[in-house]
C-alpha cells in the first residue's frame, strides 16, 4: 500500500525545521545549513549531487532509505524556490539545476498556476493549485504501489500532519540551536492526530526519530 | 566557581517538560511520568528512594552527575507541591515524605511567605518571595564553592534562562509525544541568550543534551 512519507527532515534542538529569512542565497534560511550538515556528510547525499566520498553508517542509511520505493514527490512552493506571488515568468526552474535529484513526478503546491516543467533525469514539476489533498491524490495516481515523499518545508508538513495524511515521518535532530524559525510541532497535538514514536536512533551527526500514524 | 545547573530535565519529543494538568495524584501532569521512565530505571534514582537494583550506564551516569558537588537547590513552587495561592496551613511538606532527596538547603519560589521547614536528612525548605534573583543569591550564599541546582519546573527554568542565569542545562529527550503541556523552549532565542549545544549523547532510554552559556 502506497504511503505518504517524510524522510530526513532536519530540525534543531529547539524545534525549528528551517531558519528565519529564506532567500535565493540562503534557501534554508539563516543558519539552516547547519541543520543539514549530518546529511551533507553522507555518501548518499554526496552521490545525489555528483560528488564522491562521504560517510556510510547510520545517518547514511536513513538518507538512503528515504529514496527507496518512491513514485512521486510533493513539495511546498518555498521548497521549490524563493519566488513569491504570481510567477513573473518561467525562468525559475528550481534550486537544483537541470537534473534535479527527484527522478519522478514532483507536485509543487502553489496558489498560482503554471505549465508542467519537464527536467532532465525523469523529474517533471507539476504545479497544483487545488490544495494539499488534490496534490496527494495526483501524486498517488502517478506513484501507483510506490510511496509518495513529502519534501517539505515545515509549513507544508504541518498542513499534512493536521490533516492526518502523513503515514510516516522521519526527522533528524541536529545538535544546533537556531533560536527562531519555523517550529515543526508547535501547537500540534500529535497523539490526538494519531501519531506515536516508533523509533529513536543515534546517528553519527544527528538523532533520528520516526513517528508513525497508528 | 559555583554554577547554576539544571540536570536530568526530561522533555518529550514535541518539546514539553511536563504534561498538562498537575494534580496531587499526578505531580508531573497527564502523561508526565512517561517522560521520566528513563530516570526511574537507573540505579541512582532507585537508591534515592531507597530501592535496590536499577540500571547503570549512560542514563545512570547523567543522573548521578546531577547530584555531584551540590550545595543548594532552587525549586519552583509547583515542584514543591500542588497547593496554589496562600498557604492554608503548614500541612503540605513536599512530595517526598519526611526525608526528601535533597540533603541541602532548598529555596522554594513562592509569592506567599512561610516559615522555613526543616526536614530529615539535611534538607531545609526556605520560602523565597523576592523573586528568582533573590533565591539564587540566597542559594549561592549557602552553597559556597559548590553548585546550585535548579530543579524546575519548566516555567521556573524558562525564567532563569531568560535572565541568562543558568550556566549549564542538561535535559533528556524521552521517546514519547505528549501533545500539550509546558513547552520548554518556546519563544526563547537560546543563541541570543548565550547558549550553545555542548554535548548530545544517546542513553539507554533517552537522548541527553547539554547546553552551556558561553
Amino acid at each position: 500500500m502506497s504511503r505518504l512519507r517524510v524522510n530526513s527532515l532536519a530540525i534543531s534542538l529547539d524545534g525549528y525545521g528551517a531558519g528565519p529569512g529564506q532567500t535565493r542565497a540562503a534557501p534554508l534560511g539563516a543558519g539552516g545549513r547547519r541543520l543539514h550538515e549530518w546529511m551533507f556528510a553522507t555518501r548518499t547525499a554526496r552521490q545525489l549531487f555528483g560528488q564522491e566520498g562521504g560517510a556510510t553508517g547510520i545517518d547514511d542509511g536513513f538518507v538512503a532509505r528515504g529514496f527507496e520505493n518512491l513514485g512521486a514527490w510533493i513539495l511546498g512552493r518555498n521548497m521549490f524556490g524563493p519566488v513569491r506571488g504570481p510567477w513573473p515568468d518561467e525562468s525559475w526552474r528550481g534550486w537544483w539545476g537541470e537534473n534535479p535529484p527527484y527522478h519522478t513526478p514532483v507536485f509543487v503546491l502553489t496558489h498560482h498556476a503554471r505549465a508542467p516543467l519537464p527536467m532532465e533525469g525523469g523529474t517533471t514539476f507539476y504545479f497544483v493549485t487545488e490544495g494539499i489533498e488534490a496534490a496527494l491524490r495526483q501524486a498517488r495516481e502517478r506513484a501507483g504501489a510506490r510511496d509518495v515523499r513529502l519534501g517539505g518545508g515545515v509549513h507544508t508538513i504541518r498542513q499534512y500532519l493536521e490533516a492526518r495524511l502523513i503515514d510516516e515521518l522521519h526527522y533528524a535532530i541536529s545538535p544546533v540551536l537556531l533560536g527562531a524559525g519555523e517550529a515543526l510541532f508547535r501547537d500540534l497535538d500529535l497523539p490526538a492526530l494519531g501519531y506515536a514514536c516508533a523509533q529513536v536512533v543515534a546517528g553519527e551527526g544527528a538523532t533520528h526519530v520516526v513517528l508513525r500514524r497508528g
Side-chain angles (χ1 to χ4, degrees), chain A:
Chain A
M1 159 101 192
S2 169
R3 296 176 303 161
L4 179 61
R5 290 163 26 197
V6 174
N7 293 94
S8 300
L9 175 68
I11 72 165
S12 65
L13 289 165
D14 43 354
Y16 299 108
Q22 185 196 51
T23 65
R24 189 158 175 161
L28 304 171
R33 194 180 162 89
R34 291 164 59 213
L35 286 182
H36 299 81
E37 273 172 13
W38 67 274
M39 190 172 56
F40 296 135
T42 65
R43 187 172 66 175
T44 300
R46 292 181 63 85
Q47 282 177 343
L48 275 178
F49 294 98
Q51 296 171 297
E52 296 188 355
T56 58
I58 290 168
D59 291 342
D60 186 63
F62 274 97
V63 177
R65 278 194 294 283
F67 288 93
E68 291 172 0
N69 194 39
L70 294 184
W73 285 69
I74 297 171
L75 301 182
R77 183 179 179 177
N78 298 354
M79 273 284 297
F80 177 69
V83 182
R84 304 288 186 268
W87 304 100
D89 54 45
E90 307 264 302
S91 63
W92 181 263
R93 297 166 66 81
W95 300 103
W96 308 276
E98 287 305 303
N99 189 351
Y102 299 107
H103 314 295
T104 68
V106 177
F107 296 87
V108 177
L109 294 156
T110 169
H111 295 292
H112 303 281
R114 179 170 167 181
L117 178 59
M119 308 292 287
E120 294 171 17
T123 299
T124 298
F125 294 110
Y126 296 93
F127 300 88
V128 181
T129 57
E130 300 89 359
I132 64 169
E133 302 203 9
L136 179 56
R137 195 166 52 244
Q138 292 174 48
R140 284 218 158 107
E141 276 167 17
R142 296 294 299 273
R146 285 175 293 168
D147 289 344
V148 177
R149 179 164 163 183
L150 177 58
V154 171
H155 178 69
T156 304
I157 291 170
R158 287 174 54 86
Q159 288 182 288
Y160 277 97
L161 282 171
E162 285 186 289
R164 305 171 191 237
L165 292 171
I166 294 173
D167 298 295
E168 183 176 292
L169 168 61
H170 159 235
Y171 66 96
I173 307 170
S174 290
V176 297
L177 295 167
L178 287 183
E182 288 197 77
L184 178 59
F185 293 140
R186 178 178 296 208
D187 295 327
L188 290 182
D189 187 336
L190 292 169
L193 293 169
Y195 294 93
C197 175
Q199 195 180 23
V200 177
V201 181
E204 296 81 8
T207 301
H208 300 273
V209 182
V210 178
L211 307 183
R212 288 206 189 96
R213 228 175 90 72

